[in-house]
Amino acid sequence: MSPANDSSSANDSSAANDATDPRPPNPHSNTLTYWIAGSIVAAILVALLFPPLAMMTDVGGELFLRALRMIVVPLVFTSVLCGVLGLGDIRKLGKPGGTAILYYLSTTILAVTLGLLVVNVLQPGVGTVDEDRVQQHAGATVGSPKSRIIKSLAANSGLSSTEVASVLEELPEGEAQRPGMGTILENMALMLVTDNLFVSAAETQLLPIIVFAIVFGAMLTTMGQRVSLVTQFIEQSNAALMQFVMWLMKLAPIGIFCLVASRFGEAQAEGRFYEELSQIGWYFGTVLIGLALHSVVTLPLIYWIVTRKNPYRYAWQLSKAMLTAFSTASSSATLPITMECTQEAGVSRESTEFVVPLGATINMDGTALYEAAAVLFIAQVLGMQMDLTQQLLIALTATLAAIGAAGIPEAGLVTMLIVLNAVGLPIEYIGLILSVDWLLDRFRTAVNCFGDAVGAAVVDRTMPPAAD
Ligand code: ASP
């Protein structure tokens, strides 16, 4: 959102609902997209040719990532509040809210189904990984205490041991047992409300912040003039934060270059990655095919059915966000840029402010597809037949696990343990896919962000006009 269109975008929902796009394409926006795409290609080349040099850029990448993450919590808080305030009456949120939930659930289920389908058809786990390798992976962790698994997952995923451990805590010791569906649902319900808003903010747990912002915003709308200063403060803070995002995006090509160069350089220096890829390349390709089908067929079809606009043009308008998602592997960190892009693409401010933050938290199509596909792949490698009931269980738990996954790098890998456990697969075999996960994560994060953006456009059709 540029300052020039800031004032108009609040009232753009009707314009955005027109059959034509409300704004002409912004040429500067395209230039930035080319710069970002170019910097990713350059970063990969530098990483392949001069790995030590590439790895030296990690500080630059970390700085950019921190700058993005720094504004996520205040931006989510003020933007969701603004979304509710913009509507003027919380009851107006009923239809768009229902549509958003329906959209999130149905696209996640479609993604999971597609994930299962591609693995069933392409059979990436049959006859690809040799027995020695399976034993070697198993031997590394089988029978070992959870702490070893936690260590290995944390080392590979970049998550803290505490984060990994908090997921593992829900899993029983020893032989894999099925965790009660009730426990999973109970935990998800508890995620909605926090007992300490500041702790949630410090840990970037967005869901309770969103819930609080909706309730707080609803309350403000009932208080009229008594809280006019508060509402003004929130709206102006939100505008300032979006302006900050605009500034940050100017640095995106450099930040993204550093992020990609350092991570790919690391993989090149280790050398193990390509060796692993040669073993499980077909699995890698299968997941990519699934992700591609979801983002090139399923989501565009939904977008077109609902909006009657060209979905690929919309995808192009979202490319900055998707490239950033690829580079950061975090849909939370990408959230400010996704919000900026959806508004630039003509989605109303209310829909963006309400749907994109919620989507970045609970709508993860790419993660859901990947979790279902990866679990079925592991079953295939181990020669375990998964009948229809078990595949349905995979679908159900993968949907819940994706909803529960945070928008941070490789969170999906951790919540996938719940799915493995649910169908009785030994969680140690996650080692089979660990080494390539960092790269797959980038692709699924891009799909996650695109799914959120399509959701915003879909919900926009049901969004009532903004209050004056
Ligand atoms: N990295 C993903 C995201 O941030 C989550 C995952 O699938 O690991 O959306």
Side-chain angles (χ1 to χ4, degrees):
M1 177 178 58
S2 68
N5 60 34
D6 179 22
S7 56
S8 62
S9 55
N11 300 315
D12 260 359
S13 80
S14 54
N17 288 346
D18 289 349
T20 55
D21 281 326
R23 291 174 211 160
N26 173 356
H28 297 300
S29 163
N30 279 346
T31 313
L32 188 60
T33 309
Y34 295 131
W35 271 104
I36 294 177
S39 68
I40 291 180
V41 175
I44 294 176
L45 284 177
V46 172
L48 291 179
L49 299 173
F50 315 105
L53 185 72
M55 283 162 73
M56 279 158 63
T57 62
D58 65 337
V59 179
E62 185 61 26
L63 276 176
F64 180 65
L65 203 57
R66 283 183 185 210
L68 278 175
R69 286 208 210 111
M70 176 176 73
I71 51 169
V72 167
V73 169
L75 183 66
V76 165
F77 184 64
T78 59
S79 66
V80 174
L81 262 171
C82 278
V84 177
L85 291 175
L87 287 174
D89 180 350
I90 189 71
R91 281 167 301 187
K92 287 193 193 167
L93 209 52
K95 199 171 167 200
T99 312
I101 301 295
L102 186 72
Y103 169 86
Y104 296 152
L105 267 182
S106 48
T107 52
T108 305
I109 291 170
L110 283 173
V112 161
T113 313
L114 192 56
L116 293 176
L117 204 73
V118 283
V119 177
N120 275 305
V121 173
L122 301 175
Q123 306 261 312
V126 179
T128 47
V129 184
D130 51 58
E131 189 56 30
D132 285 355
R133 203 164 183 91
V134 176
Q135 289 312 321
Q136 172 202 334
H137 275 294
T141 41
V142 156
S144 64
K146 274 185 187 168
S147 61
R148 271 190 71 183
I149 302 177
I150 293 174
K151 248 187 166 167
S152 131
L153 275 174
N156 277 281
S157 67
L159 296 172
S160 71
S161 300
T162 331
E163 281 166 322
V164 179
S166 69
V167 177
L168 282 175
E169 248 168 42
E170 290 165 23
L171 306 173
E173 277 286 356
E175 279 295 292
Q177 293 162 24
R178 293 169 189 219
M181 199 55 73
T183 319
I184 296 178
L185 289 173
E186 197 181 297
N187 286 344
M188 290 178 74
L190 287 175
M191 274 164 62
L192 291 173
V193 182
T194 175
D195 52 2
N196 189 329
L197 207 54
F198 293 97
V199 171
S200 297
E203 291 175 357
T204 327
Q205 293 166 7
L206 298 182
L207 207 52
I209 297 176
I210 292 173
V211 171
F212 175 73
I214 292 176
V215 177
F216 190 60
M219 194 199 65
L220 288 178
T221 59
T222 63
M223 297 181 70
Q225 280 310 307
R226 273 188 297 159
V227 288
S228 60
L229 220 59
V230 180
T231 50
Q232 249 182 44
F233 174 73
I234 290 164
E235 276 161 4
Q236 291 176 0
S237 305
N238 186 47
L241 285 166
M242 284 309 281
Q243 184 64 21
F244 187 88
V245 177
M246 295 276 296
W247 285 2
L248 212 53
M249 283 187 67
K250 296 199 167 96
L251 295 176
I254 303 173
I256 282 175
F257 175 87
C258 296
L259 276 172
V260 176
S262 57
R263 190 58 187 90
F264 278 73
E266 200 186 313
Q268 177 77 347
E270 273 177 7
R272 218 161 39 106
F273 174 69
Y274 299 100
E275 189 196 322
E276 290 282 335
L277 199 59
S278 65
Q279 272 280 322
I280 54 171
W282 191 217
Y283 152 75
F284 192 88
T286 304
V287 177
L288 281 192
I289 291 171
L291 291 173
L293 286 174
H294 191 69
S295 42
V296 175
V297 181
T298 314
L299 291 175
L301 199 63
I302 294 174
Y303 178 86
W304 181 79
I305 290 171
V306 177
T307 68
R308 297 284 154 178
K309 291 192 211 168
N310 183 347
Y312 301 109
R313 176 155 189 253
Y314 188 61
W316 170 249
Q317 288 167 318
L318 259 300
S319 49
K320 280 192 297 261
M322 286 193 270
L323 291 171
T324 309
F326 177 85
S327 313
T328 59
S330 165
S331 37
S332 293
T334 312
L335 176 63
I337 298 185
T338 316
M339 291 178 72
E340 151 71 20
C341 287
T342 45
Q343 288 188 71
E344 212 177 77
V347 173
S348 77
R349 215 180 93 179
E350 284 69 32
S351 300
T352 300
E353 285 169 341
F354 170 60
V355 184
V356 182
L358 194 59
T361 318
I362 60 174
N363 180 45
M364 302 218 175
D365 296 357
T367 303
L369 188 150
Y370 149 82
E371 294 199 9
V375 169
L376 201 54
F377 165 76
I378 292 175
Q380 279 179 359
V381 171
L382 299 181
M384 289 169 71
Q385 288 298 321
M386 291 280 134
D387 60 20
L388 192 64
T389 324
Q390 280 170 307
Q391 296 211 19
L392 278 176
L393 191 60
I394 295 181
L396 187 66
T397 42
T399 303
L400 297 178
I403 294 174
I408 54 173
E410 305 201 74
L413 183 70
V414 180
T415 59
M416 197 180 78
L417 295 176
I418 294 172
V419 189
L420 280 173
N421 209 46
V423 285
L425 284 168
I427 54 176
E428 299 82 27
Y429 287 98
I430 205 169
L432 283 167
I433 55 168
L434 270 185
S435 54
V436 296
D437 192 71
W438 67 272
L439 187 52
L440 269 186
D441 186 22
R442 288 158 192 264
F443 289 101
R444 64 181 188 255
T445 309
V447 176
N448 288 346
C449 289
F450 185 48
D452 299 339
V454 171
V458 166
V459 173
D460 206 23
R461 304 296 292 181
T462 60
M463 193 59 86
D468 291 331

